[in-house]
Amino acid sequence: MKQRKIIAIDMDSVLADTEKQFLIWYERDYGVNVPYESLFGKNEEDFFPAKGAIRKMVFTPGFFRTIPVMPGAVEAVKQLMNDFDVYVVSAAMEFPNSLIEKKEWLEEHFPFITWKNIVFCGSKSIIDADYLIDDHCKNLDVFKGKTLLFHAAHNVGVTHHQRVKNWEEALSAIAKLEAPPTTEV
């Protein structure tokens, strides 16, 4: 029997629309509507004029629990689970509130992913899978399998990983990577 391949999927800015949450909370807390495009190419901690705003948000109870789901993520993960073992992998240890909030968020939005397929860690360098879908190069650069860089404002200038802009593109990219090689005649 052939063993199924493993796909590890990041949460923030891949399954969960963290950038949208940042924009919503910044407007709520500071009264300023910041255009999404203004975030392009900036490190996350530099997204907003108010220094420390991001750090304050990620340490505020409720931030991770109320993040919107990334468009197409639920359907895409269900589809991937037909052919792969799927694990949600999040470097959640830095933010104490995030552990329970991320677990509850997954239970609400991805109830078909069991607790056995959720990995909260400090460093993703320990992850052994065939694929990693993530928005941060620090995770993709140390990964030994095939990588997909999920588009985010902070990574617009990155060119050394295969980029996918959304879940439709991610599914297509995986299908192409999994397709048997063609031989030219």
Side-chain angles (χ1 to χ4, degrees), residues 11 19 22 54 73 83 93 107 118 127 153-154 162:
M11 281 186 73
E19 291 176 337
F22 286 144
I54 293 288
D83 299 310
M93 301 308 293
E107 288 171 349
I118 299 170
I127 302 304
H154 64 84
Q162 181 177 349

Side-chain angles (χ1 to χ4, degrees), residues 3-65:
Q3 187 173 356
R4 289 163 51 106
K5 289 186 177 178
I6 298 170
I7 296 181
I9 304 173
D10 180 32
M11 281 186 73
D12 297 322
S13 297
V14 177
L15 294 177
D17 197 342
T18 310
E19 291 176 337
K20 185 173 187 177
Q21 182 82 326
F22 286 144
L23 293 168
I24 291 167
W25 277 45
Y26 192 79
E27 184 172 9
R28 181 196 75 183
D29 295 349
Y30 296 89
V32 178
N33 182 331
V34 175
Y36 176 66
E37 295 76 20
S38 73
L39 309 180
F40 286 7
K42 294 180 180 176
N43 290 325
E44 290 166 311
E45 57 273 0
D46 298 325
F47 276 175
F48 303 114
K51 296 299 175 205
I54 293 288
R55 193 145 184 86
K56 179 182 172 194
M57 288 181 218
V58 297
F59 280 98
T60 299
F63 178 82
F64 290 100
R65 183 63 183 91

